[in-house]
Amino acid sequence: MKHLGKSGRGSTAAVILAILSLAVTGCTQGAAPGTTPPASQGSQASQIQTPPSQPPVGPGATATAPAQAGGTPSSAPGLRAPVPAPSGGTIKELIPPATAGPVTKVDMDKAAVLPGKVSITIAKVEAIETKATTPGEIAGPAVAMTVSIFNGSAKPISVDSVIVTLTDSKNGLGQPTTSAPYQPFAGQLATGASVEGVYVFLVPMKNRTGLTLSVEYAAGQASAHFTGDVS
């Protein structure tokens, strides 16, 4: 083997440096297209978006309405003027309770003559078995009361708001039902005329002694209380 001189060693070193330089250049150019080297912390911080500014909150702060599609802030709708109640009055007005009218107590087979020349009688009492015909009704033993009202006053009276209730001797309330033959009062009752209405109450057989049927033909007017037994 021949020994290289100084000039030979120099040329060999130059060749090695050239080969290394080509290798480094190839690695850099061979990176995948579209990829970028990782960003430094400084570049990542610059990419963080700043959230939109919020309206000021606190005493003295003035809030602005959000902008509409056209870019112009929308104004909040103004408050409407208060609307008065159809029948007058205000929420601060105190309405005194209505005074109950006088009560006339009679037996079930008698007529109750009320002030104002209005008389009420129980025309018929019938023990029946009801059938549930509408949602919420209960079938069972019941009492049907046919009530008659005669208007002896000088003017017509309305019987739309007649209230009829039934209680037993222990003040237990008979459960009203709209099962047949239920037929409530309705309309105007002319002077000198009479009208009948039928009211049905669920009452067990054991609770049919000492019953009281209350009839009030108008709110605040006189009422009739009929007491007796039903077989």
Side-chain angles (χ1 to χ4, degrees):
M1 179 180 293
K2 293 183 179 181
H3 296 281
L4 296 176
K6 291 182 179 181
S7 59
R9 289 194 298 269
S11 59
T12 301
V15 171
I16 293 173
L17 289 174
I19 293 172
L20 292 174
S21 176
L22 290 174
V24 172
T25 302
C27 291
T28 304
Q29 293 178 353
T35 59
T36 56
S40 62
Q41 292 182 355
S43 61
Q44 290 179 353
S46 64
Q47 294 176 0
I48 298 176
Q49 296 182 356
T50 303
S53 60
Q54 300 295 328
V57 178
T62 303
T64 57
Q68 296 178 343
T72 304
S74 61
S75 59
L79 297 176
R80 295 184 178 180
V83 179
S87 58
T90 66
I91 60 175
K92 297 181 180 180
E93 183 178 355
L94 180 61
I95 300 176
T99 303
V103 177
T104 299
K105 297 181 179 181
V106 296
D107 294 335
M108 283 191 179
D109 57 350
K110 304 296 182 181
V113 181
L114 308 181
K117 297 182 179 180
V118 174
S119 61
I120 303 176
T121 58
I122 297 180
K124 184 179 180 181
V125 179
E126 185 180 5
I128 62 173
E129 285 285 333
T130 62
K131 295 181 180 180
T133 57
T134 60
E137 289 186 342
I138 302 174
V143 174
M145 298 282 197
T146 301
V147 181
S148 177
I149 301 177
F150 172 76
N151 181 15
S153 67
K155 59 182 180 180
I157 61 174
S158 172
V159 292
D160 287 330
S161 58
V162 172
I163 301 174
V164 180
T165 58
L166 182 68
T167 55
D168 59 23
S169 58
K170 296 181 180 179
N171 206 31
L173 187 64
Q175 182 177 349
T177 175
T178 57
S179 298
Y182 173 74
Q183 185 64 50
F185 291 106
Q188 295 284 324
L189 180 58
T191 300
S194 61
V195 64
E196 290 186 350
V198 182
Y199 293 82
V200 182
F201 303 91
L202 294 172
V203 181
M205 293 293 296
K206 62 180 180 179
N207 295 341
R208 295 186 182 181
T209 57
L211 298 179
T212 299
L213 184 74
S214 173
V215 182
E216 186 177 6
Y217 73 92
Q221 300 297 323
S223 60
H225 287 189
F226 300 90
T227 59
D229 302 336
V230 176
S231 58

